[in-house]
Every structure is written in C-alpha cells, then in structure tokens.
Amino acid sequence: MTMVTAATQPLRPEFVPASFKSELKPIWCKGCGNYAVLTPIHKALAEVGVPPHEVAVISGIGCSSRIPGYCATYGFNSIHGRALPIATGVKLAKPHMTVIAAGGDGDGLSIGGGHFPHAGRRNVDITYIMMDNEIYGLTKGQASPSTPVGDLTKTTPYGSMDRPLDAASLALAYNVSFVARCFVGEGAHLVQTITEAIRHPGFAFVHILSPCPTFRGVDEFKEIRQHIEFLPDDYKTDERNAAFTAASRTDGKISLGVFFREERATLVENADILSEKAKAKGKNTIQEIFSQFMP
Ligand code: SF4
C-alpha cells in the first residue's frame, strides 16, 4: 500500500466514503462485480479528499454505466460509448473538478472505441474506469470486444471467432499516461489504484476485471482469481515496452498493478498555452478565434 505522506494526505479529511454514496440502491444482479467497484470509488474519493460537489462521474450505457446514479456527486449517465468526449468537455469547462469516466468493455471498446485513443494522446486529466466483464450484460448477453475466442454467447452460439481486445494493452498503445489493471476480488488494491489514478495529473486508465455471473457463469470469479498475479515489487513503471509485456502475458497469467505512468502536459495545460498565443495575437473572444477559420 502507498505510504501516507504530506503529499498524499487527503485535501479535506472531513469527507468519508459515505459522503460520496447516493441514496439510490444499485439494481445490479446478485454477485455482479460492479458492486465491488462502487465502494472503492467512494473510498478513493474520500482518500483524495475532494468535496463531492467538485466531482463529476460520467458514463455511457451499460450495466456498469449506472455508476453515476450511485454517487452523490455531479453525474451524467449519457449515451452509448460517449463517456470520454463528455468527460473531456466537463474537464475543459471546469478544470478544477475531479472527473471520472466509467463504463464497460462494450461501451468503451466497441461503439466508444474511437474516443479512447484520442483521450489518451490528448492526456485529458480524467480517470477512466473500465469494468470489463467480457460480455454485453445490459442487453442480455451478446459477445463484446473482449469476449474470449470460443466462448458461447447469445450472438456466438458456436463459439466466438474473434480475437479479444485487451484494454490495458490498447491504453499503452494509445499513449495513456497512467495504465493499471485490477480485479474486483482485490478490494484494497482497487482502492489504492483508483486513488493513485485520481491523483495522477493526466489521463489515467484503470482496467478492472469485473465478472458478470448472470451471463458468464458463477465460476468466472474463481477462474480469474486462479490466474491473477501482482506485478513484482521491483517492477518499473516508466518503461512502456516492458509494460506491454506485463499487460499481455502469454503464460496464462493475468498481471495486476500499475503497468505504466509518466507525467507530461495535460490537455488543459496545452489548451491554456494555445489560449495565451491566441490572446497575444489579439484574438480574445470566441468569435475572434473562430473568425480565423472563416473564409
Ligand atoms: Fe452485472 Fe451481468 Fe447482471 Fe449486468 S447482467 S448487472 S454485468 S451480473
């Protein structure tokens, strides 16, 4: 666990996990992995110590995308696959806010898959939490972009033919500046990782293995547990190529931990620089800036 130092002390210690919990009762199925992500998000926000009114949780569509309703913060359960552009807009409009985007593998790797690389290369200062259950749960069990080859689903009755996408490896390829993987059965590690992700100054991606017992069977949790392995203590998080190897193992094991982190200018910082340049040219209003692009 991270040592508590002056730099990691909560900003406002009066906030506790319950400060971030809404009155809505989650309606996920019994045993759904998403329950085990919700509480760590509340705990991580309390650990960071931001006031609930300075937090926005933005999601797309899917079972896990119900999360904004269960947080006593600003929130938007938006449209399918669009959590990242909306979260980016919130961060640009309100840079002081802590912005969390959340959703599933179907939402973020299929219809929303085109937004992921651009949020990564822009280094928008938000935390993106992907709850990967390897299935479309809300729409009753169709194969998703992360469904393993051969698995039987509603849309693959003879077995899925397509190679699954690994979200953490994609994030590394997309120049994401903080990339981690967690499992819902490791609650303390989830809290620690989400806390680090929120504190990271830049785009932080947390890939969470979150089983769907309803459409992938009740044994999935145990099967994942048998394959997980934490990164070694001497693992270095500043080598992207090594991170690829760690994130996409070929020995049947699934690595958990922070694969990679780097600090570089964020989208808001770069936008501020451009804004100053525009002002130096005497372009001080939106109309004046837009007029540069008019014929
Ligand atoms: Fe969770 Fe699956 Fe039920 Fe959706 S369908 S709430 S992912 S268990």
Side-chain angles (χ1 to χ4, degrees):
M1 300 291 286
T2 305
M3 291 285 291
V4 175
T5 64
T8 58
Q9 288 283 6
L11 300 173
R12 301 273 291 272
E14 68 266 36
F15 297 112
V16 296
S19 311
F20 300 92
K21 186 178 173 191
S22 79
E23 291 176 0
L24 280 183
K25 194 170 161 6
I27 58 167
W28 293 311
C29 310
K30 188 178 170 197
C32 177
N34 297 336
Y35 286 104
V37 179
L38 181 60
T39 303
I41 290 176
H42 296 158
K43 286 185 175 174
L45 286 166
E47 182 72 25
V48 174
V50 286
H53 70 272
E54 290 185 5
V55 178
V57 182
I58 315 293
S59 69
I61 291 291
C63 294
S64 51
S65 285
R66 294 183 188 277
I67 269 196
Y70 307 140
C71 296
T73 63
Y74 284 101
F76 188 5
N77 185 176
S78 72
I79 52 176
H80 208 193
R82 310 303 174 211
L84 287 177
I86 294 169
T88 300
V90 172
K91 189 68 187 180
L92 277 171
K94 300 281 181 190
H96 69 284
M97 290 193 71
T98 295
V99 180
I100 296 174
D105 44 292
D107 186 71
L109 297 178
S110 190
I111 190 169
H115 296 299
F116 195 5
H118 302 294
R121 71 195 183 96
R122 286 175 184 142
N123 202 28
V124 52
D125 187 8
I126 64 176
T127 299
Y128 181 28
I129 294 173
M130 180 180 289
M131 287 150 273
D132 188 349
N133 59 12
E134 303 180 339
I135 198 91
Y136 282 97
L138 190 69
T139 47
K140 308 292 180 225
Q142 299 87 356
S144 83
S146 59
T147 300
V149 171
D151 279 20
L152 307 181
T153 73
K154 293 266 175 66
T155 46
T156 58
Y158 302 103
S160 178
M161 298 184 294
D162 305 328
R163 288 281 184 97
L165 296 178
D166 172 48
S169 299
L170 287 174
L172 289 164
Y174 295 159
N175 270 308
V176 173
S177 59
F178 178 104
V179 182
R181 187 187 287 129
C182 298
F183 170 52
V184 292
E186 297 291 341
H189 180 247
L190 259 175
V191 176
Q192 176 186 322
T193 306
I194 296 172
T195 303
E196 287 182 36
I198 294 171
R199 285 191 170 126
H200 174 71
F203 187 55
F205 177 64
V206 185
H207 180 212
I208 302 177
L209 309 177
S210 178
C212 166
T214 300
F215 293 110
R216 292 198 50 78
V218 291
D219 292 334
E220 180 93 343
F221 185 95
K222 274 189 265 173
E223 281 171 21
I224 295 175
R225 159 112 26 239
Q226 284 168 2
H227 292 93
I228 57 170
E229 205 167 82
F230 285 101
L231 292 171
D233 288 342
D234 61 354
Y235 176 85
K236 291 188 172 37
T237 58
D238 60 350
E239 295 172 8
R240 201 178 284 272
N241 285 343
F244 272 113
T245 304
S248 51
R249 290 173 64 164
T250 54
D251 59 356
K253 292 288 183 186
I254 306 170
S255 296
L256 303 183
V258 177
F259 295 118
F260 181 78
R261 72 173 98 207
E262 69 175 358
E263 289 198 21
R264 65 176 201 262
T266 67
L267 174 65
V268 169
E269 288 166 347
N270 283 328
D272 283 346
I273 292 169
L274 282 191
S275 174
E276 289 307 315
K277 284 183 179 169
K279 282 181 193 161
K281 276 185 156 185
K283 311 290 184 190
N284 291 313
T285 67
I286 294 284
Q287 286 74 17
E288 286 170 337
I289 291 170
F290 279 174
S291 70
Q292 299 174 95
F293 302 98
M294 298 299 184

